[in-house]
Amino acid sequence: MTGKARTRIYAVITAACAAWLAPAAAQADPEGSISYVNLGDSCSAGFGSGAIVPGPLPGCLQTTGPSHVSQIAALPGVDLGINAACAGFTAEQVGMAAAALAVPLSTADLVTLTLGGNDLPRGQAVAACSTQGSDSGCDQATAALAAAIGSVEPRVHRTLERIDLLSAATILVAGYPRLFTLSTGDQPLISAAHARMLNRLGDELNREIRAATRGTSAKFVLVLGAFNNHGVGARE
């Protein structure tokens, strides 16, 4: 996959997260000032928007452009204490980041995050199923991805339990958008059939993440509605 195509994917993920998390956050504490902490992976780190810069933790990368974090932070009464989302972080690494931020989390009113996607070989599957791959390679990669999805729920759940112990905040966990728009048919990057298969696996990942919030105080935020027809291959 080319760098341009990968950047396009990151950009549309960021747009989808921004469209849904900001309204949800506005409802978190309508009566007063909101102390806000952001955690998570590339989606929460805003990749695809602005320049890449170091984050507040070792090995952490974020971007400077608009994201759901900047939109939430701009809401009246919201005070962004720290943004510690890091591109590429797994669910376990997000939990380790949370442990390092015990003090700001202890006073937070709102926590947002995305996690779980980097616990899967999603990038390999997208590359194998692109027009630069092959049908057999795509079948092998998506089979490996499907087999691994079931491991996401317990990993995400452990991290959310860890955050629960550190914070009494409202915790909003965003799902992931569908990467590809199917209404335009085959695309230069990927065939419609392969895109449909990857979108279905993405939906299954969201179901695992939603299930992981059960038994915790976290609330799952679905981002698919705002994202439909704005994925890779969309006319807009």
Side-chain angles (χ1 to χ4, degrees):
M1 184 186 302
T2 66
K4 184 177 180 180
R6 188 177 294 110
T7 298
R8 168 65 174 156
I9 290 174
Y10 286 147
V12 291
I13 288 175
T14 300
C17 290
W20 274 84
L21 276 182
Q27 300 171 14
D29 183 2
E31 296 183 354
S33 177
I34 299 172
S35 176
Y36 173 34
V37 172
N38 181 61
L39 302 169
D41 56 21
S42 304
C43 183
S44 294
F47 258 61
S49 172
I52 298 175
V53 296
L57 301 172
C60 181
L61 294 176
Q62 303 174 343
T63 61
T64 59
S67 68
H68 68 273
V69 182
S70 61
Q71 288 196 21
I72 293 171
L75 294 171
V78 175
D79 177 22
L80 177 59
I82 189 166
N83 176 11
C86 303
F89 267 26
T90 63
E92 182 180 4
Q93 288 174 307
V94 173
M96 292 170 63
L101 301 172
V103 173
L105 282 171
S106 69
T107 59
D109 301 303
L110 172 67
V111 175
T112 61
L113 70 159
T114 52
L115 73 170
N118 290 319
D119 291 80
L120 298 174
R122 293 198 304 166
Q124 295 92 314
V126 171
C129 293
S130 73
T131 50
Q132 298 175 18
S134 64
D135 286 344
S136 60
C138 180
D139 289 343
Q140 292 175 5
T142 52
L145 180 57
I149 284 178
S151 68
V152 170
E153 187 272 335
R155 295 179 184 183
V156 171
H157 186 79
R158 284 194 295 270
T159 293
L160 295 179
E161 285 185 320
R162 193 171 192 175
I163 296 172
D164 262 345
L165 291 174
L166 295 168
S167 181
T170 295
I171 303 169
L172 301 179
V173 179
Y176 295 95
R178 295 183 181 119
L179 288 182
F180 302 100
T181 292
L182 302 178
S183 58
T184 53
D186 290 343
Q187 306 167 19
L189 175 67
I190 194 168
S191 70
H194 286 176
R196 187 175 298 108
M197 185 185 309
L198 289 169
N199 280 354
R200 282 200 298 266
L201 290 171
D203 290 346
E204 180 60 30
L205 171 60
N206 278 335
R207 285 190 284 271
E208 289 292 313
I209 296 169
R210 182 192 290 272
T213 65
R214 295 170 188 156
T216 75
S217 63
K219 298 175 177 62
F220 180 79
V221 181
L222 190 67
V223 303
L224 297 183
F227 188 80
N228 282 343
N229 295 318
H230 292 282
V232 176
R235 294 188 176 92
E236 296 182 28

